[in-house]
Amino acid sequence: FKIDSALQIQAAPSMMNPSADEVEPVAMARAMDDVPACFGEGLHAVLGPYYELQAALADDDDTGSAAAAGRTAAAAEALVCETTGMSSELAGRWNRAVGLLRTAAAEVAAAGSMGKRREAFEPLSDLLWENLAAFGTGTEEPVRRFHCPMAFDDRGAFWIQPGETTANPYYGDMMLRCGSQKDVLAGADPSDHAGGGHVH
């Protein structure tokens, strides 16, 4: 709060009470067409425990975040979709994405402290968002990306969460509401069998 007050005195934007322009989400368009439903469904299976991890970090729950990190890594490891018959470009992109996601999730699970877990949570968040935007969310619910400009010595960091009220996983109770929603992936249309789930 002291940092935020100083920013406002300097006529800089508030981190705790961003302006309406700052919180206006950007609807993301699908990056790829004709993506198999399995891709989005598989990523949704990772998103579930990831949400638990995000919530536990925001709650400063060391034990809970460690357990959720393990579940997220297990879900990423189980992420398998049949790529036979697909174009080599699509199959290659998917396989590379899965490999990177597994590595990032495993690093969060291997972190031995809350601080290290939060550091590893950032690249996992970026990778998961990138893949959800490219391959589909596998859910009818919107998927929201938030940003905290003060995380990691003002470098800033993104994360994904289900609700609209900021719950900062990088600061927890110290600055729980620091940050704002930046992007939204629209929920999948139940009739869309191609595995979409984005705003067109």
Side-chain angles (χ1 to χ4, degrees):
F1 288 103
K2 290 181 179 179
I3 295 171
D4 192 63
S5 297
L7 287 170
Q8 293 184 60
I9 290 170
Q10 298 169 19
S14 169
M15 298 302 121
M16 307 297 289
N17 298 294
S19 67
D21 289 340
E22 290 177 294
V23 299
E24 184 66 27
V26 177
M28 304 291 289
R30 183 169 62 195
M32 302 180 70
D33 291 319
D34 301 320
V35 176
C38 177
F39 287 5
E41 291 166 358
L43 290 171
H44 183 241
V46 178
L47 187 61
Y50 170 94
Y51 279 158
E52 296 173 4
L53 172 58
Q54 177 269 322
L57 290 173
D59 287 341
D60 295 318
D61 183 351
D62 190 13
T63 302
S65 65
R71 291 192 293 272
T72 303
E77 193 61 35
L79 189 55
V80 178
C81 287
E82 180 57 59
T83 58
T84 302
M86 295 180 192
S87 69
S88 58
E89 178 184 359
L90 178 57
R93 181 170 177 177
W94 169 253
N95 290 329
R96 285 190 298 273
V98 170
L100 291 171
L101 195 59
R102 286 174 175 167
T103 298
E107 289 178 356
V108 182
S113 68
M114 180 78 79
K116 293 296 185 182
R117 205 166 294 126
R118 282 173 166 148
E119 289 177 11
F121 181 73
E122 182 196 8
L124 171 62
S125 299
D126 291 343
L127 279 168
L128 183 55
W129 177 264
E130 178 184 328
N131 291 323
L132 289 165
F135 299 118
T137 65
T139 175
E140 296 176 28
E141 299 299 320
V143 178
R144 308 174 189 278
R145 184 168 71 154
F146 283 65
H147 181 255
C148 171
M150 298 178 68
F152 305 117
D153 296 323
D154 297 329
R155 175 168 54 83
F158 288 93
W159 74 92
I160 309 167
Q161 66 172 65
E164 295 183 48
T165 301
T166 301
N168 192 312
Y170 300 110
Y171 281 110
D173 187 59
M174 183 169 70
M175 287 198 295
L176 185 62
R177 303 305 180 204
C178 181
S180 59
Q181 181 177 302
K182 295 299 183 183
D183 309 291
V184 180
L185 294 173
D189 183 340
S191 65
D192 183 1
H193 300 293
H198 299 68
V199 173
H200 295 272

